[in-house]
Amino acid sequence: MTEKTVKQEKFSACSSGRFRRWLPKTPLARPWILGLILLIAIIGSLFMGAYPIPWHRILEILLNSVWPFSGSESAYLDLREITVVTLIRPPRILVAVLAGIALGMSGTALQGMMRNPLVGPDLVGVTSGAAFGAVLAMWLGFLYTPVILVLSTIGGIAAMLGTMALARVVGGRNDSLPLILAGFFIGAFFLAGVGLLIYLENPFYPKGQRTGNIIYWLLGTFRGAGPVKAWTIAVPTIVGGTVLMGLRWRLNLLSLGDLDASSLGINLNRLRWILITVVSLMVAGQVAVSGVVGWVGLIIPHAARMLVGPDHRRLIPASAMLGGLFVLGLDNFTRTVIWSEVPVGVLSAIFGTPLICFLFWKTKTKGWNE
Amino acid sequence: MSTGDFIFTGLGHAYLKDNWIFRNYRGEAVRGQVLALLGPNGSGKTTLLKILLGALTPSEGSVNIQGQVAFVPQLFQVAFDYTALDMVLMGRAKKVGLFSQPTPADEEAAINALERMGIGHMAYRPFHEMSGGQRQLVIFARALVAEADILILDEPTSALDLKNQNGILEWIDRLARRENLTVIFSTHHPHHAYAVADQALLMLGENDFESGPVGDVLTEKNLLQLYGLPLKRLTFDYEDLNVETLVPVFRNCKRRKAN
């Protein structure tokens, strides 16, 4: 009896089938509410941007594009405004949201799979591997984003396998330290490759032209996102996201540990391979279109866990929604608030570092294990 | 052989070539029996359990296990803060398809299992906030939910106080006799083995072992060889019980009394 009263102070009951589940009291603990907020944020983002357009005109253009016969004043609309609202902003917003979804989900999947809340795609080297693949593609002269995606996926998988193999050789996969160190080494190796390619400059290109672009792209930006980039990130994110949504309960099992998980009768290797492929694909999709956006894959799973708890059945959708919100917010910030477009990757680190410090401090009292 | 029985013969394992941990081991139990594994630290108890679990392929010999095996690890640390119900639900892994989620029927089974273990009221408690004994019960419930035939426990009583040791031993007894599970457990306490087990396997050395009914195996002579310390087999009456147990003799300690 005392047990229940104590629980009721901390949690509220919500009915699911025959059984009541205990959820944190905030309404944000429900992924669909986060999804609703994300939807509102997406629509709101259409109204933001460097090019000044009054909000009622944006509304008019939007209504017109959805229902062409609604506006009588459409003749007065400026073609430039129509272009900005229907062709320039939507793909950029879409790319930012999908990048956030990809990073949030893959970070959560990685942490569950490696049963380690200290990892993220950038910390296990996947991001660096994907960046190397992408830069290699550009260096070789393939500037079509889907081609960049292929090479960056290969780079991401190679880096992840390298990290896992190294961590296994040095110490058990259960330990945090070997894994993070291995990720650091492998990541540094691939970043050195990136540096080498930038330094070497393909002699067939005009000097200096490519390097500047690569460096700006490397810092992480959504500038110049068009339909091709939107498709390039949409396909891996939707495919990978669907797979992760299907496997989200299996992540609970994987996070138990090898011996215990295999004693429950699941095929660990198969599951791990699917996850490595899917996570690398999603991260590579993000890197191929928008460069290196760090921290998101580490912060979002923590924030989502604070909101909805550790059960991956809720955690995976929640981190997708939160990731989308976070990256969209960063991009909106750089599009509107700052006088020149600071790369999102730089912003994510500037905002991410204090945020992760705060999350560390919050979890310090409780810890992750005890 | 029927479901729940197991037998292993000629079993040997070496992590490094020709560096045998044990060889030619043999043991068996039938459904509803309890087998205790005893051996000093480093004698390969955990290795043997891993082999029985199927997580490790033995270097030689054969294992024949009929039925579904469930495992209760020694130290249970979970990276994330799952509730007891989440933990028990994981026992359904085999019955839930790769891309599916557990159904309300699975949750019902999980709650029932927790109630059978007498901790139904703790279903929504974070697993890591539970005591060592309660965690063991949650993992037992998970084995029930998995509809396991054979339960393998790695030193289930090692980190517990006397009261909880008693509780876990009672549960091992109940799981074997009432739920008709075969239980294999490793232990450092010969009197625990003596209290609940039907069969015992003493891991005396690389090529040396004793296996068979508890009464035949846990003799003073064998235990002296196993631990290098005399153990006395005692029989006495306590209330209406006739108690038979093993007591270690700590010969060189302060309270010895030479007459």
Side-chain angles (χ1 to χ4, degrees):
Chain A
M1 194 59 222
T2 40
E3 180 67 26
K4 274 195 173 159
T5 33
V6 171
K7 281 289 159 205
Q8 268 158 2
E9 281 166 19
K10 270 165 80 181
F11 298 101
S12 72
C14 106
S15 175
S16 145
R18 255 194 63 201
F19 295 104
R20 288 186 306 166
R21 287 171 175 283
W22 298 104
L23 280 174
K25 230 172 192 166
T26 156
L28 290 177
R30 286 151 191 86
W32 67 269
I33 292 184
L34 291 173
L36 205 65
I37 296 173
L38 179 60
L39 195 68
I40 294 167
I42 289 172
I43 295 169
S45 302
L46 287 169
F47 290 83
M48 297 180 191
Y51 190 80
I53 314 172
W55 65 269
H56 59 270
R57 286 234 285 277
I58 293 178
L59 202 63
E60 218 169 316
I61 295 169
L62 287 177
L63 285 177
N64 244 302
S65 56
V66 176
W67 183 243
F69 315 106
S70 60
S72 52
E73 293 171 80
S74 53
Y76 300 106
L77 291 173
D78 184 355
L79 192 62
R80 280 212 296 194
E81 289 178 359
I82 296 177
T83 313
V84 166
V85 174
T86 59
L87 292 179
I88 294 181
R89 285 183 191 170
R92 178 162 182 163
I93 291 166
L94 193 65
V95 168
V97 169
L98 288 170
I101 290 176
L103 289 174
M105 281 181 117
S106 54
T108 306
L110 275 181
Q111 294 188 355
M113 180 174 104
M114 298 180 167
R115 49 182 167 286
N116 191 332
L118 291 174
V119 301
D122 30 357
L123 289 169
V124 296
V126 187
T127 312
S128 307
F132 175 74
V135 172
L136 185 65
M138 292 182 199
W139 191 81
L140 293 172
F142 302 111
L143 289 183
Y144 188 54
T145 341
V147 181
I148 298 178
L149 173 69
V150 173
L151 278 185
S152 103
T153 307
I154 296 171
I157 293 180
M160 176 106 105
L161 291 180
T163 300
M164 289 179 75
L166 187 60
R168 198 174 206 172
V169 170
V170 179
R173 242 174 320 183
N174 296 6
D175 305 332
S176 313
L177 199 61
L179 190 66
I180 289 160
L181 281 177
F184 176 75
F185 296 150
I186 298 288
F189 178 74
F190 279 103
L191 275 187
V194 170
L196 187 69
L197 287 181
I198 290 175
Y199 175 74
L200 282 179
E201 266 195 79
N202 193 325
F204 300 109
Y205 295 117
K207 220 171 167 52
Q209 209 173 333
R210 197 115 322 186
T211 313
N213 284 344
I214 289 182
I215 290 175
Y216 187 80
W217 165 87
L218 255 187
L219 291 173
T221 179
F222 297 107
R223 201 163 72 167
V228 176
K229 283 194 173 178
W231 277 112
T232 310
I233 191 171
V235 172
T237 306
I238 291 168
V239 170
T242 312
V243 173
L244 286 185
M245 278 300 279
L247 290 174
R248 62 196 198 274
W249 185 63
R250 298 267 145 177
L251 280 168
N252 280 2
L253 298 165
L254 262 190
S255 68
L256 285 179
D258 285 7
L259 193 58
D260 200 30
S262 64
S263 82
L264 292 173
I266 63 169
N267 188 337
L268 275 180
N269 279 334
R270 183 180 62 178
L271 195 52
R272 211 171 267 139
W273 269 106
I274 297 177
L275 286 171
I276 288 174
T277 315
V278 162
V279 165
S280 303
L281 182 70
M282 290 174 86
V283 174
Q286 180 270 315
V287 171
V289 299
S290 51
V292 177
V293 181
W295 293 109
V296 181
L298 178 66
I299 296 167
I300 293 303
H302 279 285
R305 213 173 279 124
M306 283 174 81
L307 274 181
V308 303
D311 186 349
H312 288 83
R313 283 177 292 172
R314 280 197 304 275
L315 190 57
I316 285 282
S319 46
M321 300 302 127
L322 273 186
L325 267 175
F326 184 64
V327 175
L328 181 63
L330 286 180
D331 192 44
N332 285 343
F333 184 80
T334 190
R335 279 199 301 144
T336 50
V337 179
I338 313 177
W339 71 101
S340 87
E341 248 188 55
V342 177
V344 171
V346 174
L347 273 187
S348 78
I350 290 174
F351 286 116
T353 310
L355 200 57
I356 197 74
C357 290
F358 170 74
L359 293 174
F360 260 56
W361 175 72
K362 277 291 263 192
T363 37
K364 197 196 86 180
T365 44
K366 261 172 72 182
W368 285 298
N369 286 315
E370 292 308 316
Chain B
M1 277 178 78
S2 58
T3 316
D5 299 355
F6 76 90
I7 182 164
F8 54 89
T9 47
L11 205 62
H13 192 74
Y15 285 104
L16 301 169
K17 202 174 181 304
D18 287 332
N19 196 353
W20 293 94
I21 299 167
F22 51 79
R23 276 190 102 165
N24 295 322
Y25 272 29
R26 197 196 123 82
E28 62 182 311
V30 294
R31 184 166 196 114
Q33 277 195 330
V34 179
L35 168 78
L37 300 179
L38 291 112
N41 290 330
S43 62
K45 290 194 297 294
T46 307
T47 306
L48 182 56
L49 291 183
K50 278 187 186 170
I51 291 173
L52 295 181
L53 205 54
L56 196 67
T57 314
S59 307
E60 61 177 31
S62 68
V63 184
N64 186 353
I65 288 190
Q66 301 291 321
Q68 161 92 32
V69 181
F71 179 57
V72 182
Q74 184 177 2
L75 256 181
F76 213 98
Q77 280 219 334
V78 188
F80 304 107
D81 197 1
Y82 298 122
T83 62
L85 181 62
D86 289 338
M87 292 297 295
V88 176
L89 202 53
M90 293 183 201
R92 299 298 272 192
K94 260 200 161 166
K95 295 180 178 60
V96 178
L98 183 61
F99 287 99
S100 319
Q101 316 303 322
T103 59
D106 291 318
E107 292 208 8
E108 193 167 352
I111 294 217
N112 284 341
L114 278 167
E115 273 162 5
R116 263 155 87 192
M117 299 307 297
I119 47 171
H121 61 288
M122 292 185 182
Y124 298 99
R125 221 190 226 203
F127 184 71
H128 76 236
E129 281 178 15
M130 304 178 104
S131 72
Q134 289 165 346
R135 289 185 199 193
Q136 298 269 21
L137 295 184
V138 171
I139 304 303
F140 284 173
R142 197 181 70 180
L144 289 182
V145 134
E147 287 164 18
D149 306 298
I150 298 172
L151 196 58
I152 295 183
L153 304 97
D154 191 7
E155 294 183 17
T157 53
S158 60
L160 303 178
D161 61 36
L162 276 175
K163 185 184 168 212
N164 279 305
Q165 286 180 12
N166 178 43
I168 294 299
L169 290 177
E170 273 182 34
W171 269 112
I172 291 176
D173 198 62
R174 240 179 278 179
L175 289 171
R177 322 283 173 233
R178 208 169 66 188
E179 311 280 347
N180 204 20
L181 294 174
T182 310
V183 182
I184 305 170
F185 74 104
S186 63
T187 182
H188 283 302
H189 303 292
H191 56 288
H192 288 174
Y194 208 74
V196 293
D198 304 289
Q199 304 274 328
L201 174 70
L202 299 193
M203 310 181 71
L204 295 165
E206 183 197 310
N207 241 323
D208 198 4
F209 72 100
E210 287 286 338
S211 167
V214 164
D216 302 344
V217 173
L218 294 179
T219 59
E220 293 175 359
K221 179 175 151 276
N222 285 340
L223 290 168
L224 177 63
Q225 192 192 344
L226 187 68
Y227 294 112
L229 163 96
L231 277 105
K232 186 86 185 144
R233 215 149 109 168
L234 289 180
T235 313
F236 56 90
D237 290 323
Y238 178 79
E239 294 177 350
D240 56 337
L241 292 171
N242 183 257
V243 184
E244 218 180 330
T245 188
L246 291 157
V247 178
V249 182
F250 301 112
R251 246 201 299 225
N252 299 322
C253 291
K254 194 176 158 193
R255 296 220 180 262
R256 72 191 186 277
K257 214 187 223 170
N259 26 305

